[in-house]
Amino acid sequence: MERVTRKGPLAGVRVLELAGLAPGPFAGMMLADHGAEVLRVERASTVAKAGDRPRADVMDRGKRTVGVDLKSPEGVAAFKELARHADVVVEVFRPGVAERLGIGPADLHAVNPRLIYGRMTGWGQDGPLAATAGHDIDYIAVSGVLSMLGRAGERPTPPINILGDFAGGGLMLAYGVLLALIERERTGEGRVIDAAMVDGAAALFSMFYHGVQSGFWGPRGTNLLDTGAPMYDTYQTSDGGYVAVGSLEPQFWTEMITLMGLDAAGLPDREDRSNWPELRERLAEAFGSRTRAEWEAVFEGSDACVSPVLEMGEAPDHPHNKARGTFVEVGGVRQPVPVPRLLGVAEQDLSPATRLADLTSWGLPEETAARLREAGVLA
């Protein structure tokens, strides 16, 4: 049986990605971006309705798609056959759902002991909340992370759904898959990965736990890195744009003040926190006197650590991003390139996900696939 080969460090690794919300597809994208052959498994009805059309969803890039009715015995049998020839399964159901369908870790390890079974949930596979619903905002709330985000005296501010879903969820799952692949080289056996967003979000804030417990890190919005300090914040410009200031070190602060034309001797001492409100007002007044583009020109090439706050649509056209090729257009959609960059590795196929008509390379005979398509079990 011939296997499809791809370039990249994960070439030859086959991944079955059970369709779900953002974290699972993001993990699959990270693996596909570096050479894994990812087959996205959706409901047969969904695939039949969508037809053989490329997708605009960035997280579907580089993948193929098949529809399987996992509520039918024939569909479960077909999925097990796919799993027999897979290296990784990415599962995104609530705890117990996969087992009820007959495609849990024990079911699949019975046909493929080398299989790495990655489970992506918000609360994890056990604990009092494991069976309950939730979203990114809930997971980062219980992890303690949400309490730290926002300005002083205001409500905690959720940062869209980046910390729980993507950084604490999908990225951690992809990392777990890589760990399990390395381990399998030694043991020859697969592993089950319990990737919980609440765990991942907590881990992302590791550096802050000692600071909070020791009293070094104070209430939300009063610290050096959380908008408490005037030298680490955003300021509005005269045209309604914004600049980001990160001049933490004294030499960077001095360069910023000099380029802004401010009199350093006339400014309050920034080391005295009681002066921070006045310093913020002075900086806000100064930044509000020019447009964002004007300030961008002032600070270009400097070490002042001042940058324009670009809108999403502007970022691909920034000179630095263009020079590095940070963004690429695929299927009419501008999107970030695969990261991290592995120098010397050829670029991956980022074409949008399409239907996979031939499943013979995954061990499913064509006559069986044809029969299942006719029955509506496979699409």
Side-chain angles (χ1 to χ4, degrees), residues 183-263:
E183 180 188 49
R184 194 178 68 177
E185 290 299 306
R186 298 195 310 270
T187 67
E189 298 180 355
R191 174 160 307 273
V192 179
I193 302 166
D194 178 3
M197 296 176 219
V198 64
D199 298 345
L204 289 169
F205 273 60
S206 296
M207 70 170 284
F208 297 100
Y209 284 93
H210 177 263
V212 170
Q213 293 169 50
S214 67
F216 173 77
W217 194 266
R220 175 175 61 254
T222 65
N223 304 282
L224 193 63
L225 302 176
D226 63 356
T227 74
M231 50 280 206
Y232 201 87
D233 204 349
T234 58
Y235 294 90
Q236 190 169 29
T237 55
S238 64
D239 58 346
Y242 293 88
V243 294
V245 171
S247 56
L248 293 175
E249 293 79 0
Q251 67 272 26
F252 301 154
W253 171 264
T254 298
E255 185 162 356
M256 181 187 76
I257 294 302
T258 300
L259 290 174
M260 293 179 73
L262 298 176
D263 178 15

Side-chain angles (χ1 to χ4, degrees), residues 7 22 46 58-59 64 66 104 109-110 112 116 120 127 131 134 156 179 193 232 272 287-288 300 304 343 354 376:
K7 301 172 183 177
T46 299
V58 173
M59 292 185 293
R64 296 293 182 263
V66 65
H109 279 151
N112 183 359
I116 294 163
M120 177 81 268
L179 294 177
I193 302 166
Y232 201 87
D272 184 346
F287 279 117
E300 183 176 4
L343 302 185
T354 57

Side-chain angles (χ1 to χ4, degrees), residues 85-359:
H85 300 278
D87 296 288
V88 180
V89 164
V90 172
E91 179 252 294
V92 292
F93 305 142
R94 288 199 203 187
V97 172
E99 283 80 356
R100 289 195 293 274
L101 290 172
I103 58 170
D107 303 304
L108 300 190
H109 279 151
V111 300
N112 183 359
R114 290 174 52 83
L115 186 70
I116 294 163
Y117 197 107
R119 316 196 81 166
M120 177 81 268
T121 59
W123 301 118
Q125 295 299 312
D126 53 21
L129 297 175
T132 65
H135 279 294
D136 178 288
I137 193 170
D138 303 299
Y139 312 137
I140 67 173
V142 172
S143 72
V145 168
L146 183 55
S147 71
M148 303 180 68
L149 306 177
R151 294 188 177 275
E154 298 183 5
R155 293 176 296 171
T157 303
I160 317 183
N161 62 327
I162 297 298
L163 289 178
D165 282 353
F166 293 99
L171 191 58
M172 293 295 184
L173 176 56
Y175 175 54
V177 167
L178 299 182
L179 294 177
L181 285 170
I182 293 172
E183 180 188 49
R184 194 178 68 177
E185 290 299 306
R186 298 195 310 270
T187 67
E189 298 180 355
R191 174 160 307 273
V192 179
I193 302 166
D194 178 3
M197 296 176 219
V198 64
D199 298 345
L204 289 169
F205 273 60
S206 296
M207 70 170 284
F208 297 100
Y209 284 93
H210 177 263
V212 170
Q213 293 169 50
S214 67
F216 173 77
W217 194 266
R220 175 175 61 254
T222 65
N223 304 282
L224 193 63
L225 302 176
D226 63 356
T227 74
M231 50 280 206
Y232 201 87
D233 204 349
T234 58
Y235 294 90
Q236 190 169 29
T237 55
S238 64
D239 58 346
Y242 293 88
V243 294
V245 171
S247 56
L248 293 175
E249 293 79 0
Q251 67 272 26
F252 301 154
W253 171 264
T254 298
E255 185 162 356
M256 181 187 76
I257 294 302
T258 300
L259 290 174
M260 293 179 73
L262 298 176
D263 178 15
L267 292 176
D269 179 11
R270 73 172 203 161
E271 300 304 320
D272 184 346
R273 289 191 174 219
S274 66
N275 291 329
W276 282 5
E278 182 182 350
L279 264 178
R280 191 186 308 277
E281 290 180 8
R282 297 283 291 274
L283 291 179
E285 181 180 3
F287 279 117
S289 67
R290 302 188 194 183
T291 66
R292 193 191 75 181
E294 288 174 329
W295 284 120
E296 190 172 1
V298 167
F299 294 111
E300 183 176 4
S302 76
D303 280 342
C305 301
V306 179
S307 304
V309 178
L310 301 180
E311 300 291 337
M312 291 281 283
E314 297 177 297
D317 295 320
H318 187 276
H320 184 81
N321 293 335
K322 290 180 71 173
R324 283 185 55 80
T326 301
F327 294 87
V328 65
E329 184 170 315
V330 179
V333 179
R334 276 177 158 181
Q335 54 194 267
V337 297
V339 294
R341 302 181 190 218
L342 304 177
L343 302 185
V345 175
E347 293 183 359
Q348 298 301 313
D349 173 19
L350 300 183
S351 57
T354 57
R355 309 298 160 234
L356 181 63
D358 180 13
L359 293 176

